[in-house]
Amino acid sequence: MNITIVGSGYVGLVAGACFADTGNDVVCVDSNAQKIERLRKGEIPIFEPGLSDMVIRNAKEGRLTFTTSMKEGVEKGEVIFIAVGTPQDEDGSADLRHVLDVAKSIGQHMTGFKVIVDKSTVPVGTAQRVRAAIASVTSQPFEVVSNPEFLKEGAAIDDFMKPDRVVVGVESERGAKVMRDLYAPFVRTNNPILVMDVPSAEMTKYAANAMLAARVSFMNEISNLCERAGADVDSVRVGIGTDSRIGMSFLFPGIGYGGSCFPKDVQALIRTGHDFGLDLKLSRSIEEVNKAQKKVLGRKISQHFGDAGLKGRHFAVWGLAFKPKTDDVREAPALVLCKELLEAGATLSLFDPEAMKTFEELLGKHSQVTYVSNNYDALKGADALVICTEWNEFRRPNFKKMRELMKAPLIFDGRNILDRGVIAQEGFTYHCIGRKPVLGAAQN
Ligand code: NAD
C-alpha cells in the first residue's frame, strides 16, 4: 500500500518505519525542514530503541522517504495518517490547530479518493471537524478514520509491531477493509482489530490513558497514607496486584507521571466532559493527586535538611526523562524537582543516559547546573543523591564508590528502585516513597 504519514515525531516516525518494514511504500511528511533533512541523512531526532536501525534499513531499501511537501505526500498516499502533535491548550483542551491545518492541506492537494486517518490523540468529535476542514476545500471523495495509537515511548517499536489490539473507528465497510488489510501483518497472533464507530474509537484512547493515570495516582495516594500509617506500599502493591481483578501492572508508586500523553490527555478529557456539561470529578482528582505527588520528594529533602536549608547544598540527580528508555522530558517530575532545588539555592549535577540534551532545552541554561557524562561523576561532593527516573543501570550501583564520592551517604529515591536491606548494610540514609526510610549515617 502507498501510505503517507504527516508528522514525523514519536508516533509518526515509528508508525512510518513499521509500515515500511511490512512492505508498504511510506512517505513521512513533516513541516520541520531540519528534522526532514536529518532523517534523510539517516539521523534519528529522538531516542527510541530499535528505531534507528529500522528507519535506516527501510530508507536504504527505498520503502521509506521523507519530505516537507504536503503536495508530494498527498499525491503518493492512498492512506494518509495525521500524526501531528495535539498539545494542551490554555484551557486544558487539546489544541487541534495542527490537525486541522493538515486536514485542510490534504483537502487542497487531493486528486482522488483518500482514506484519512486520525492517529493523533484527539477528543471525541474531531473526525467530524477533520471531515469538515477537508470538505471545505475539495469535492473529491474521502473517508475519515480514527485509529488512536497506544504505543509506549521506550518500547514503541515492539508495541507497534505487536499491539495488544488495534482500535479503528470507521464510517463504512470500505474504510474498515483498508485498515484491516493494513494492520493484518501486525496481528498475526490473533490480537484483535477492534472496528467500531468513530466517536467510540476517539473516546477509547482518552479512557485508556485516564484509567492508567488513575492507577498511578491511586497508588501514589495510597503510598502517602502508607507512610503516615506505618505500612509498606510494596507489600500492599503485591497484596492487591495478585488479585486477578486488579493485576500487577501500573501499580508502582513514585513521584508522579509525566510525558507528553497522560497529563495532557487527562486534562483534555476533563475539558471534553465540561463541553458536554459533565464534571469529571475522578479525572480532576487524578490530575490533582499527580501534581501534588511531583512535590513529594522535594518536601522530603527540605524536611531532612530542616532549618539548615538547601542554600549552598549540592545534589546529584540520576534520571531526568519522564520514564526510562526515552529522551522525552515533557512534564517530567525531574523538572519540577530540579526547579525547586534551584530556587532553594542548591547546585545540581545531573545525569541521564539519554535525556540530558532535551532536559537542558526545557530547563534552560543555568549557572547552578552541571551535566555530567556518567552517574558516578554526578556524585562528586554531593550532599545527597536524588533518583528521579528508574533506568535499569541505577538499580545495582556500587555503594562503596558512591560513599567515597559523596559528602554524605544520603539518598532520596523517587522510584523505589534500591533495596532497603542492602542500603542499610551499606550505611546510607535512604528516603523513598511509601516505605519506611532507612536511617543510616547521614542524619543531618
Ligand atoms: P511529536 O511532537 O513528537 O511529533 C509531532 C510532529 O508533527 C513534529 O515533528 C512536528 O514538526 C510535526 N508537525 C506539526 N505540525 C505539522 C504540520 N502542519 N505538518 C507537518 N508536520 C507537522 O508528537 P508525538 O509524541 O509523535 O505525538 C503525536 C500525537 O500522537 C499526539 O496527539 C500524541 O498525543 C499522540 N500519541 C503520542 C504518544 C507518545 O508516546 N508520544 C503515544 C500515543 C499517542
Side-chain angles (χ1 to χ4, degrees):
M1 237 183 258
N2 290 315
I3 296 169
T4 294
I5 317 262
V6 186
S8 306
Y10 285 89
V11 167
L13 191 57
V14 168
C18 292
F19 283 136
D21 211 53
T22 46
N24 298 292
D25 284 315
V26 179
V27 182
C28 283
V29 184
D30 204 286
S31 52
N32 181 334
Q34 215 184 349
K35 190 177 263 191
I36 290 299
E37 209 35 60
R38 288 184 64 189
L39 284 166
R40 281 183 177 147
K41 286 192 221 150
E43 292 171 20
I44 311 303
I46 54 171
F47 172 75
E48 187 58 51
L51 181 61
S52 180
D53 285 353
M54 195 182 261
V55 168
I56 291 168
R57 180 161 38 82
N58 282 284
K60 208 164 144 198
E61 288 165 14
R63 287 187 299 270
L64 183 60
T65 55
F66 302 98
T67 181
T68 53
S69 162
M70 278 298 288
K71 184 171 184 293
E72 182 188 339
V74 175
E75 274 170 6
K76 285 191 179 158
E78 305 155 60
V79 182
I80 303 172
F81 282 83
I82 304 178
V84 295
T86 46
Q88 193 172 312
D89 219 337
E90 277 160 20
D91 63 358
S93 62
D95 179 351
L96 296 178
R97 216 169 339 161
H98 301 307
V99 170
L100 296 175
D101 280 355
V102 170
K104 200 163 175 191
S105 182
I106 292 171
Q108 280 161 346
H109 296 294
M110 269 166 59
T111 51
F113 179 78
K114 305 280 178 189
V115 174
I116 293 133
V117 186
D118 274 343
K119 190 161 251 328
S120 299
T121 301
V122 289
V124 62
T126 301
Q128 258 176 30
R129 296 179 63 186
V130 165
R131 197 177 305 119
I134 298 170
S136 71
V137 289
T138 184
S139 51
Q140 295 291 343
F142 65 92
E143 172 159 350
V144 178
V145 170
S146 166
N147 171 220
E149 181 51 55
F150 297 95
L151 64 76
K152 302 183 289 295
E153 286 177 21
I157 297 283
D158 248 19
D159 287 346
F160 200 94
M161 294 305 274
K162 289 178 246 155
D164 288 343
R165 78 306 200 190
V166 176
V167 170
V168 175
V170 295
E171 296 164 333
S172 74
E173 193 39 49
R174 184 177 185 179
K177 184 175 180 321
V178 169
M179 297 307 282
R180 280 201 189 95
D181 286 351
L182 188 56
Y183 275 106
F186 301 91
V187 291
R188 297 189 62 244
T189 49
N190 277 342
N191 287 355
I193 297 176
L194 303 171
V195 178
M196 54 184 81
D197 60 84
V198 172
S200 303
E202 291 174 330
M203 189 66 88
T204 298
K205 173 67 191 174
Y206 284 94
N209 273 1
M211 174 74 90
L212 293 168
R215 284 174 75 102
V216 175
S217 276
F218 178 77
M219 282 312 288
N220 284 336
E221 197 164 72
I222 291 292
S223 76
N224 294 333
L225 186 56
C226 283
E227 283 181 14
R228 298 263 175 116
D232 182 320
V233 75
D234 267 355
S235 303
V236 176
R237 179 177 61 79
V238 177
I240 64 173
T242 41
D243 184 327
S244 60
R245 293 168 302 177
I246 296 175
M248 291 302 292
S249 57
F250 264 80
L251 291 185
F252 287 95
I255 46 173
Y257 59 75
S260 66
C261 293
F262 286 4
K264 85 169 169 63
D265 292 350
V266 173
Q267 278 292 349
L269 186 64
I270 296 167
R271 190 67 217 176
T272 302
H274 191 261
D275 292 345
F276 286 92
L278 270 185
D279 178 15
L280 302 185
K281 294 192 188 71
L282 183 56
S283 301
R284 277 199 288 115
S285 301
I286 295 169
E287 182 59 15
E288 211 177 295
V289 169
N290 192 57
K291 274 204 180 113
Q293 195 67 16
K294 287 185 177 175
K295 297 190 172 263
V296 160
L297 208 55
R299 197 160 53 241
K300 284 177 193 271
I301 295 171
S302 293
Q303 273 166 4
H304 176 90
F305 288 102
D307 292 343
L310 302 183
K311 197 167 169 48
R313 301 263 178 204
H314 185 58
F315 292 95
V317 180
W318 285 3
L320 305 171
F322 84 95
K323 66 174 186 176
K325 295 191 193 159
T326 180
D327 61 354
D328 198 340
V329 296
R330 292 177 279 186
E331 304 278 342
L335 264 176
V336 175
L337 183 89
C338 288
K339 281 182 187 162
E340 277 177 3
L341 295 175
L342 290 171
E343 269 164 34
T347 54
L348 308 177
S349 280
L350 309 184
F351 175 74
D352 187 284
E354 293 296 337
M356 294 200 283
K357 190 164 165 280
T358 44
F359 195 82
E360 187 171 20
E361 279 164 17
L362 221 58
L363 184 70
K365 294 261 181 227
H366 216 294
S367 60
Q368 290 155 253
V369 176
T370 319
Y371 293 86
V372 294
S373 56
N374 76 67
N375 53 331
Y376 291 104
D377 281 354
L379 298 173
K380 287 178 193 158
D383 288 287
L385 162 65
V386 187
I387 300 174
C388 290
T389 315
E390 64 277 33
W391 284 92
N392 267 340
E393 62 199 85
F394 302 155
R395 288 178 189 273
R396 291 286 176 269
N398 180 336
F399 289 105
K400 181 170 175 287
K401 189 168 168 185
M402 289 169 71
R403 255 197 327 267
E404 284 164 8
L405 290 166
M406 295 172 73
K407 213 189 271 178
L410 174 60
I411 301 173
F412 295 89
D413 180 357
R415 299 294 176 184
N416 287 357
I417 59 172
L418 300 180
D419 183 311
R420 275 180 312 160
V422 178
I423 291 272
Q425 276 168 19
E426 297 287 343
F428 277 77
T429 291
Y430 179 62
H431 295 273
C432 41
I433 305 292
R435 308 185 295 176
K436 284 199 188 97
V438 173
L439 300 176
Q443 278 310 289
N444 43 51

